[in-house]
Amino acid sequence: MAPKDFRAELVENRKLDDGTFLMSLRCPEIARAAEPGQFVLLRPGAGNDPFLGRPLAVAAVDGDVFTVLLRVTGRGTEMLASRREGDFITVRGPSGRGFWSSREGEPLPGKIILAGGSVGAAPLIFAAGRLGSAVTAAAFGFAGRGWEGTAKLAEELVSGAGLFSDDGAFGRKGTVLAGLPDELPHDTEIWACGPVGMLRALAAKYPGSGSRVRVSLEARMACGAGGCLGCVIPLVTGNARVCADGPVFKAGEVKWDDLDQI
Amino acid sequence: MTSTKFDISSRVGGLELRSPVIIASGVWPYERELWSPLRLEGVGAVCTKAVSLNLRAGNRGTRVWETPCGMLNSIGLQNGGVHEFLREGMPVARSSGLPFLVNLVMEAEKDVRETIAALKDAPFEIPALELNISCPNVDGDGMDWGVSPKSAARAVAIVRREWKGPLWVKLTPQAPDLPAVARAAEAEGADALVCANTWLGMAMDIKKKRPAFRRVVAGLSGPAVFPLALRAVWQVCGAVSIPVVGCGGVAGWEDAAAMILAGASAVESGSALFADFNLPRKIASGLAAYGAEQGAASIKDLVGLGRDGRA
């Protein structure tokens, strides 16, 4: 379904770390329709300032409730983080094509490796729940100190997940790429979400396997529904809208060197 | 007293509008589901994304930037060209049953004539054109035509010769003498004027220590510009006798009412739909209640009422 606007009740706002929150909202329409990789836009306040919704990937659904992982990066996300249980938030969604619908009928591979960076863990946590034993490995990377709660959540929700931290505060020291195989077997795909630098490095690590590395991208956007063309990125086939054609793309399709807007 | 039945339908610039709320150009995608009657409740007409002769890739780099009560955009008229529009966009636009306006990019004379010829050859009639002489995000076309009365007159004359159907002209607030541009467009045969497109602004990315947009400048829209747009509507309504459609920061029925009282026959709303898809329905019902409360019979009774005889 094309995204719609709803008023959703905030049923839980759990602080995971300083600046990172797990927010659960009651919205049956979105909770029932959302697939891993899709996102919603949460409006920070009720008035015109801030003006636009903040795009956040769905991290889980449970009955009528969906959950997002919020990182405070500015005034709008700070306003969202301060909302209390019982508050109503205007939400648009579900937006985009997730890890399933972006395949356009192409069957799932036998084995899937999940690779998440920072709050990019969210859609992969959601995907892991749906994929079950098809997930053969998972790696989540974080800056380190100050991210312990978020890392612990990812580890709890994705069994067997390996943790990585840039500063060595927890898990293995290094980036998430260290947790991935040198060669990607033919029956295996990597599904990834995280900062663009991480995704670019991931694409470069498997230059011949670009169609088996699926990345969920982010971009500044206004409508989240394909209308404004604000979130357009360059693919080898031409322009694509992150919000409606993506956010999940094959890494081999993305013109990484021209991708400077995010 | 709200018992009076207030009629929000009207005829504006050659189009029958069931509601005075029009979706501005650059906002509504061609996703078919979004053109269903339920999704377009309260909408009187839809302006398409800009259509040029050939494919335009649009601008590189950052394209949108939030500002207080608004946003800047530098999309750069991205579209697949008129033939792709006729093949893919138009069937979707027609599916709603509502009138739509093809937002036509003013390009070089030869190009724009060829675009119009293609539109006239379409298997179905195009209800109206909205001539874009006001986009601030490209070089050479768009706004460059709309800043002076002389070039605006030339643009409208070129299109008017080729297009006999309803022709609306979308003005730019960057025109130093907007009423003069409006009069020039009227003199060359425009059926209605849309007042106005976005306001030239810019943003600095203080983290990267450079302008946020590659073209440096970008178009400002949203509730932040409403008082500016209302002033422009007031001036243009005082300068011409053809219908004027107010556009700029309309984000609620009160804004629409203010534009109409200033002389606008209808309003376009754009950026505010990014924040609220249901806005047209809310504006339409708010206007209906307001009109009835005032004891008016229809939108026409309110148009220009706030001028109290002032030109």
Side-chain angles (χ1 to χ4, degrees):
Chain A
M1 83 179 206
K4 284 184 183 171
D5 293 347
F6 301 99
R7 295 279 289 158
E9 185 191 354
L10 184 61
V11 293
E12 190 184 7
N13 191 3
R14 186 169 135 207
K15 185 176 175 179
L16 297 174
D17 287 303
D18 277 344
T20 309
F21 296 80
L22 193 67
M23 301 178 76
S24 296
L25 296 109
R26 179 170 291 118
C27 181
E29 295 87 349
I30 290 178
R32 285 178 201 145
E35 64 156 304
Q38 285 192 301
F39 63 95
V40 295
L41 295 103
L42 299 190
R43 296 208 63 210
N48 287 319
D49 191 29
F51 187 51
L52 301 169
R54 270 45 179 171
L56 298 163
V58 177
V61 298
D62 182 8
D64 289 349
V65 173
F66 71 88
T67 299
V68 296
L69 201 50
L70 174 86
R71 179 71 183 170
V72 174
T73 57
R75 183 171 152 253
T77 43
E78 194 167 335
M79 285 169 72
L80 281 170
S82 70
R83 302 297 289 271
R84 302 262 175 247
E85 284 145 26
D87 283 359
F88 279 81
I89 294 176
T90 300
V91 53
R92 174 171 297 178
S95 285
R97 304 197 305 167
F99 285 103
W100 272 259
S101 49
S102 62
R103 305 183 75 82
E104 295 175 336
E106 183 193 350
L108 285 179
K111 298 173 183 170
I112 296 165
I113 297 170
L114 304 176
S118 188
V119 285
L124 305 173
I125 290 171
F126 189 11
R130 298 234 168 146
L131 290 168
S133 61
V135 178
T136 55
F140 295 106
F142 300 91
R145 214 178 133 78
W147 283 89
E148 291 85 352
T150 313
K152 188 160 168 278
L153 178 87
E155 193 179 32
E156 276 169 15
L157 295 177
V158 183
S159 61
L163 296 183
F164 295 81
S165 58
D166 295 343
D167 64 3
F170 53 80
R172 282 164 62 189
K173 186 173 179 182
T175 73
V176 74
L177 267 72
L180 302 176
D182 292 335
E183 300 272 332
L184 194 56
H186 283 287
D187 61 349
T188 305
E189 283 186 11
I190 293 178
W191 291 6
C193 183
V196 68
M198 169 200 143
L199 299 177
R200 184 185 277 124
L202 189 64
K205 185 177 168 87
Y206 303 105
S209 311
S211 65
R212 284 184 289 119
V213 177
R214 306 288 167 107
V215 294
S216 181
L217 297 175
E218 63 178 350
R220 285 180 185 277
M221 60 180 67
C223 72
C228 71
L229 304 184
C231 63
V232 161
I233 57 155
L235 298 186
V236 291
T237 49
N239 285 343
R241 302 165 298 178
V242 168
C243 75
D245 302 316
V248 176
F249 296 100
K250 294 173 181 169
E253 291 177 335
V254 178
K255 288 171 88 170
W256 293 99
D257 293 340
D258 296 340
L259 213 169
D260 66 354
Q261 77 140 30
I262 53 180
Chain B
M1 237 283 283
T2 56
S3 58
T4 324
K5 180 82 181 140
F6 182 76
D7 181 11
I8 62 164
S9 72
S10 61
R11 186 175 172 82
V12 178
L15 291 182
E16 295 293 342
L17 304 178
R18 65 175 188 181
S19 149
V21 186
I22 299 166
I23 297 181
S25 179
V27 173
W28 215 239
Y30 295 116
E31 263 68 12
R32 192 173 279 266
E33 196 188 322
L34 291 172
W35 294 74
S36 69
L38 211 60
R39 291 298 188 101
L40 292 173
E41 228 181 302
V43 175
V46 184
C47 298
T48 69
K49 303 242 0 146
V51 174
S52 52
L53 176 59
N54 297 313
L55 179 146
R56 281 175 179 253
N59 294 334
R60 296 266 310 277
T62 297
R63 287 181 166 193
V64 290
W65 193 272
E66 191 181 57
T67 62
C69 296
M71 59 179 283
L72 288 155
N73 89 78
S74 177
I75 309 298
L77 302 177
Q78 179 185 327
N79 78 101
V82 67
H83 295 288
E84 186 189 278
F85 167 73
L86 292 172
R87 209 168 50 242
E88 294 171 20
M90 178 151 161
V92 179
R94 288 190 75 245
S95 70
S96 73
L98 290 176
F100 61 91
L101 297 99
V102 173
N103 184 278
L104 174 71
V105 183
M106 188 62 207
E107 301 178 286
E109 177 170 356
K110 181 179 152 295
D111 291 353
V112 82
R113 287 175 60 179
E114 203 177 327
T115 308
I116 295 170
L119 291 171
K120 287 198 295 197
D121 275 352
F124 301 100
E125 196 181 337
I126 306 275
L129 293 188
E130 181 184 58
L131 180 63
N132 182 345
I133 54 170
S134 45
C135 175
N137 297 319
V138 293
D139 295 319
D141 298 318
M143 188 180 95
D144 284 2
W145 288 93
V147 287
S148 89
K150 199 175 158 197
S151 56
R154 183 155 173 265
V156 177
I158 289 167
V159 173
R160 185 76 284 180
R161 268 201 302 277
E162 309 294 325
W163 178 260
K164 303 304 170 205
L167 173 61
W168 297 16
V169 178
K170 191 167 182 178
L171 306 175
T172 170
Q174 272 67 247
D177 188 347
L178 191 55
V181 172
R183 280 190 295 268
E186 179 183 40
E188 295 299 335
D191 296 305
L193 302 175
V194 180
C195 180
N197 207 314
T198 55
W199 303 73
L200 212 49
M202 77 169 280
M204 187 64 77
D205 185 333
I206 60 169
K207 282 184 195 152
K208 293 179 178 164
K209 297 184 283 295
R210 64 177 194 221
F213 297 101
R214 287 201 185 187
R215 295 185 78 254
V216 180
V217 295
L220 180 65
S221 62
V225 307
F226 177 75
L228 301 170
L230 181 62
R231 182 267 296 162
V233 165
W234 178 277
Q235 286 180 320
V236 168
C237 288
V240 299
S241 24
I242 52 175
V244 173
V245 176
C247 178
V250 175
W253 71 264
E254 298 92 335
D255 301 334
M259 290 264 194
I260 290 166
L261 292 171
S265 298
V267 296
E268 290 190 5
S269 187
S271 306
L273 273 79
F274 296 152
D276 184 0
F277 276 155
N278 301 317
L279 187 63
R281 175 170 55 75
K282 294 175 188 171
I283 295 178
S285 63
L287 275 180
Y290 173 74
E293 215 174 84
Q294 303 310 312
S298 76
I299 287 287
K300 283 192 285 288
D301 297 338
L302 298 180
V303 173
L305 199 62
R307 305 186 75 90
D308 196 22
R310 278 177 288 231

